[in-house]
Amino acid sequence: MDAKDLLRIIDDGENAELECKAAKGGLPKDVWETYSAFANTNGGIILLGVEQKGQEFFR
């Protein structure tokens, strides 16, 4: 995966296989709930350092 692929994924927005976490100040506590959910389904991507505001993402 290169930067172009990553930006495309971010622009597509969160879904059942993508979760974005701002991760300001360290690893968010709720990351483990997402990790567990992905581990018990088809997997997914957790992006740290990407914050979603409504339907827009701030990098």
Side-chain angles (χ1 to χ4, degrees):
M1 177 181 301
D2 62 14
K4 185 177 177 181
D5 293 331
L6 183 58
L7 290 174
R8 183 179 37 80
I9 289 170
I10 292 169
D11 288 339
D12 287 346
E14 289 184 331
N15 56 50
E17 296 178 347
L18 175 67
E19 182 74 21
C20 298
K21 304 285 185 190
K24 293 179 182 175
L27 192 62
K29 292 177 184 172
D30 65 345
V31 75
W32 299 114
E33 293 174 22
T34 303
Y35 177 85
S36 178
F38 285 169
N40 288 310
T41 59
N42 294 326
I45 299 170
I46 301 172
L47 295 177
L48 299 174
V50 179
E51 180 178 5
Q52 182 178 5
K53 296 278 190 182
Q55 292 300 317
E56 293 186 36
F57 288 90
F58 296 90
R59 301 174 206 123

